[in-house]
Amino acid sequence: MDLAFTPEEVAFREEARAWLLAHVPAAPLPSLETAEGFAAHRAWEAELATERWSAVDWPTEYGGRDAGLVRWLLFEEEYYAAGAPGRVNQNGISLLAPTLFDHGTQEQRTRVLPPMARGEVVWAQAWSEPEAGSDLASLRSKAVRTDGGWLLSGQKTWSSRAAFADRAFGLFRSDPDAPKPHQGLTYLMFDLRAPGVTVRPIARLDGKPAFAELFLDEVFVPDADVIGEPGQGWRIAMAATGNERGLTLRSPGRYLAAANRLHALWREQGSPGGTKARVADALIGARAYQLFTWTAASRFLDGESLGPESSLNKVFWSEYDIALTETALDLLGAEGESADTDWSERYVFALAGPLYAGTNEIQRDIIAERLLGLPKGRR
Amino acid sequence: MRLVLDREQRAFADSLEALLTGADTPSVVREWSRGEHGSGRALWVRLAAAGVFALAAPEEYDGVGVRPVELAVAFMALGRHAVPGPLVETVTAAVLLPTPDLVKRLVSGEDMATVAYDSPYALDGDAADLRLVLTPDGLHRATGHGPVRPSLDPARRLTALAPDELLTATPPIEQALLLARLTTAAQALGVGLALLDRTVCYVKQRTQFGAPIGVFQAVKHQLADAKIALEFAGPLVYAAALTLDPADVAAAKVTACEAAYATARTALQLHGAIGYTAEYDLSLWLTKARALRTAWGSPEQCRDTVLSGDRRW
Ligand SMILES: Cc1cc2nc3c(=O)[nH]c(=O)nc-3n(C[C@H](O)[C@H](O)[C@H](O)COP(=O)(O)OP(=O)(O)OC[C@H]3O[C@@H](n4cnc5c(N)ncnc54)[C@H](O)[C@@H]3O)c2cc1C
């Protein structure tokens, strides 16, 4: 057992730190939930990609650095410590890319990944539907066979950043007669600007318009854009949810950076006693999440698969993020009400954490049943 | 970076686990709580033979050098089995003492030690062979002990000590206190894990409304929260053992103790009334979770340590 990094890992970390120091925009970019901010974030992704920092763990042939899990974690720590912008393509990078590595074709990887790394194609996740949230397998949007591909129809909703994104990936019912709801689903990629697609922005709590619902009316998708076997969509999509809940979407780096900033804010405010325990707990929580992640990474590198353990992460980071940002707003006092600070934007985003990526109620069920072995209940 | 136990450490954990599983610790605890120390002492000697106290002493004193990770492993097992006695204190004493023959007796399990520091009470002064008091002047021996006061945890017997003969003016206080805090954290984590295990078993067996109560979400979700809290405390304890950085150790202590205590509350709630009875073994862990919370650094003191200094994680 040790906490030491190899000389290569340390060198990688220093290289990343130096690059970020030289390139991170001096002023924060406008919110990526707005059209203007979206464009600025795309440009930032492109800049990251010039020296292959946008997806460091990918193989070099797709624009990565083949960095592996540990160096990726170190990169993320440096990234957030440097105050670098949020990642506009995180759905693509953390959800679609791992799926393509595991289940895609070589042709799909070569076609999809490099423009994703450069921010030229930004991806939205089109899973949820108005009648299919927690009970995702009840989804009704359908994919109907046609010459050389599929026709998609139906409605998707709550799709993050879809108002400005280019393409989307989602699950569609391709066999309405399958005996169980999670059978007969196919996982497909489609163009958000294809004929038959209508994107309607839905303002979030803070009024920002990047969230959207999608109406699909016989949208053509070629066979080349089916991920894995038709009918196997559920299995393939579920393999990716571990990424969403676990490490890759929410690396410890962002929480370490936020906790250190909160600590600094607390000191600037004269170390008020009333919030002391909450500030200490924010620091400890970030450290706990970092170490938990390193434990998981160690086990992963030993060849263990992590599976339902990612539900532990999901509940932890989502509740942690709210506690942290609430503490910051309380510390800011009257300023905490203003909606145009870093902290307030972060707070509004944090509020959604217990909802998306599988609600925390669903995660607690998974923890209880699959990690503690309690009897399965009605879902 | 490898934040998981290696093969030897796992083997050590397994061997202690096997020893303790066979030791019928609940009856040992109950006797200890009545002031009958025979079975506790016998177990103590076996723990010493398994190497537990050698992990806190240098080789020239019959130890293996201070091994914080292995100490954490050991104390998790001790907590899991609710082993009574001045365990943390004996380890702390082994680090503090300048005299080889006294340390050797601790390593072999012949002697138990207790230490009073920053508190009116030392644990189990009535059972200890060696009673120590840490003051600003140094490390003192205490000859006798005050009357035994009960703790919220009946297995912890509180005794006042008066400093007497000065053993050394310059004991390694800082290192000893870090190890005391670390081993208390590990012990608390073990207590929490035992409470969770026992409660998971219970809710699978106890039926109400025609179903095991573990099928109900209100029950499941409380246990899921306990699992999350304990799972995130574990790596803090191991990292603290690796770095022995005061902020890491304080973070481990407050997190492990709060997780164990919250699990105790959940365990009691989910057991219903049977959990509230002293005769049911769950009580042995319930009360310990509360007592360890303030031993060797209250949550407040630990949080202060985390916030002090300029360390960034
Ligand atoms: C900010 C944000 C971004 C999102 N981004 C995307 C995206 O990019 N792509 C996408 O596809 N989706 C996205 N979502 C949607 C998200 O995945 C869903 O909101 C989520 O799955 C929950 O579904 P729902 O909102 O329909 O709630 P419901 O399923 O209707 O649940 C409502 C409440 O009931 C509880 N509940 C439901 N069933 C059970 C049960 N069996 N046991 C206990 N409690 C239960 C839930 O936990 C919740 O508290 C996003 C959501 C938000 C808020």
Side-chain angles (χ1 to χ4, degrees), chain A residues 125 127-128 133-134 158-160 211 352 355-356 359 361 379, chain B residues 217:
Chain A
Q125 177 201 21
W127 289 16
S128 305
S134 299
W158 315 132
S159 192
S160 293
F211 218 29
L355 296 172
Y356 65 83
T359 68
E361 285 73 22
R379 186 72 85 249
Chain B
Q217 276 188 337

Side-chain angles (χ1 to χ4, degrees), chain B residues 236-269:
Chain B
L236 281 172
V237 170
Y238 285 127
L242 287 169
T243 67
L244 282 189
D245 176 277
D248 272 333
V249 173
K253 169 74 168 67
V254 65
T255 307
C257 287
E258 296 302 273
Y261 183 56
T263 304
R265 295 283 319 279
T266 296
L268 173 56
Q269 184 64 21

Side-chain angles (χ1 to χ4, degrees), chain A residues 4 276 281 364-365 369, chain B residues 1 217 220-221 225 303-304:
Chain A
K276 189 173 89 177
D281 288 348
R364 287 186 168 96
D365 278 356
E369 291 172 10
Chain B
M1 188 280 302
Q217 276 188 337
K220 278 184 181 159
H221 290 191
D225 283 337
R303 289 188 172 110
D304 281 341

Side-chain angles (χ1 to χ4, degrees), chain A residues 66-343:
Chain A
D66 233 339
L69 185 53
V70 171
R71 282 186 289 171
W72 176 76
L73 287 166
L74 294 177
F75 172 76
E76 290 276 298
E77 282 185 13
E78 294 304 322
Y79 187 87
Y80 289 102
R87 302 294 301 275
V88 72
N89 222 348
Q90 83 188 356
N91 275 335
I93 288 170
S94 72
L95 278 171
L96 179 58
T99 308
L100 291 181
F101 284 124
D102 291 345
H103 302 280
T105 63
Q106 183 59 46
E107 184 279 324
Q108 287 173 333
R109 290 192 279 269
T110 310
R111 173 164 53 94
V112 171
L113 296 177
M116 182 193 291
R118 294 190 297 266
E120 285 162 23
V121 177
V122 176
W123 290 82
Q125 177 201 21
W127 289 16
S128 305
E129 297 184 5
E131 303 296 328
S134 299
D135 184 13
L136 179 63
S138 70
L139 62 88
R140 293 205 294 246
S141 292
K142 55 187 187 193
V144 177
R145 208 78 205 71
T146 185
D147 258 5
W150 302 79
L151 292 174
L152 309 184
S153 298
Q155 185 185 352
K156 294 285 178 180
T157 191
W158 315 132
S159 192
S160 293
R161 299 179 279 284
F164 308 119
D166 307 292
R167 304 201 75 203
F169 50 94
L171 282 168
F172 292 84
R173 193 162 296 287
S174 51
D175 177 4
D177 302 323
K180 291 211 173 120
H182 55 271
Q183 293 171 355
L185 298 175
T186 296
Y187 204 14
L188 298 127
M189 301 179 273
F190 59 97
D191 212 316
L192 285 169
R193 302 200 189 95
V197 180
T198 307
V199 178
R200 188 183 79 85
I202 312 166
R204 306 192 311 182
L205 270 191
D206 57 3
K208 299 210 174 91
F211 218 29
E213 61 184 333
L214 314 172
F215 299 90
L216 306 171
D217 181 16
E218 306 214 317
V219 178
F220 177 75
V221 174
D223 282 324
D225 279 344
V226 173
I227 307 173
E229 292 297 308
Q232 296 299 311
W234 183 257
R235 197 175 54 78
I236 297 166
M238 287 308 111
T241 58
N243 292 313
E244 186 176 22
R245 288 165 197 160
L247 305 183
T248 54
L249 181 63
R250 292 285 173 266
S251 71
R254 61 194 285 139
Y255 300 112
L256 287 163
N260 283 324
R261 255 169 239 146
L262 178 72
H263 190 196
L265 174 68
W266 180 71
R267 286 184 163 167
E268 277 160 31
Q269 306 272 343
S271 306
T275 41
K276 189 173 89 177
R278 290 159 67 197
V279 173
D281 288 348
L283 283 170
I284 296 169
R287 176 71 166 160
Y289 189 56
Q290 176 194 44
L291 295 166
F292 181 84
T293 303
W294 285 351
T295 305
S298 304
R299 290 176 38 205
F300 185 77
L301 295 172
D302 283 351
E304 281 182 54
S305 63
L306 300 173
E309 315 245 316
S310 61
S311 295
L312 299 167
N313 286 56
K314 167 60 240 277
V315 179
F316 187 88
W317 61 248
S318 58
E319 298 197 338
Y320 172 84
D321 209 9
I322 293 178
L324 173 106
T325 50
E326 272 177 343
T327 306
L329 297 196
D330 287 354
L331 266 171
L332 288 168
E335 274 300 306
E337 190 194 327
S338 60
D340 55 0
T341 67
D342 268 8
W343 282 114

Side-chain angles (χ1 to χ4, degrees), chain B residues 101-257:
Chain B
D101 43 318
L102 289 181
V103 176
K104 286 180 181 175
R105 295 176 65 84
L106 299 180
V107 169
S108 69
E110 267 164 283
D111 283 359
M112 289 178 180
T114 191
V115 183
Y117 170 72
D118 199 19
S119 157
Y121 304 113
L123 183 62
D124 296 315
D126 58 331
D129 309 282
L130 182 59
R131 290 176 281 266
L132 303 173
V133 183
L134 260 182
T135 70
D137 311 331
L139 182 68
H140 303 255
R141 200 199 270 269
T143 35
H145 64 83
V148 174
R149 283 198 62 184
S151 148
L152 275 171
D153 173 13
R156 289 170 62 89
R157 296 161 60 84
L158 307 177
T159 45
L161 302 181
D164 206 346
E165 175 200 354
L166 180 70
L167 293 172
T168 168
T170 54
I173 293 194
E174 217 160 294
Q175 200 204 3
L177 292 180
L178 283 173
L179 279 180
R181 210 171 249 194
L182 174 72
T183 47
T184 307
Q187 194 183 1
L189 184 56
V191 166
L193 291 167
L195 285 162
L196 178 63
D197 281 353
R198 298 179 70 91
T199 310
V200 165
C201 288
Y202 185 75
V203 302
K204 286 191 212 170
Q205 285 157 12
R206 172 71 171 167
T207 61
Q208 291 289 280
F209 306 100
I213 56 175
V215 86
F216 301 118
Q217 276 188 337
V219 168
K220 278 184 181 159
H221 290 191
Q222 291 188 55
L223 288 170
D225 283 337
K227 171 83 175 163
I228 294 166
L230 294 167
E231 285 284 337
F232 279 87
L236 281 172
V237 170
Y238 285 127
L242 287 169
T243 67
L244 282 189
D245 176 277
D248 272 333
V249 173
K253 169 74 168 67
V254 65
T255 307
C257 287

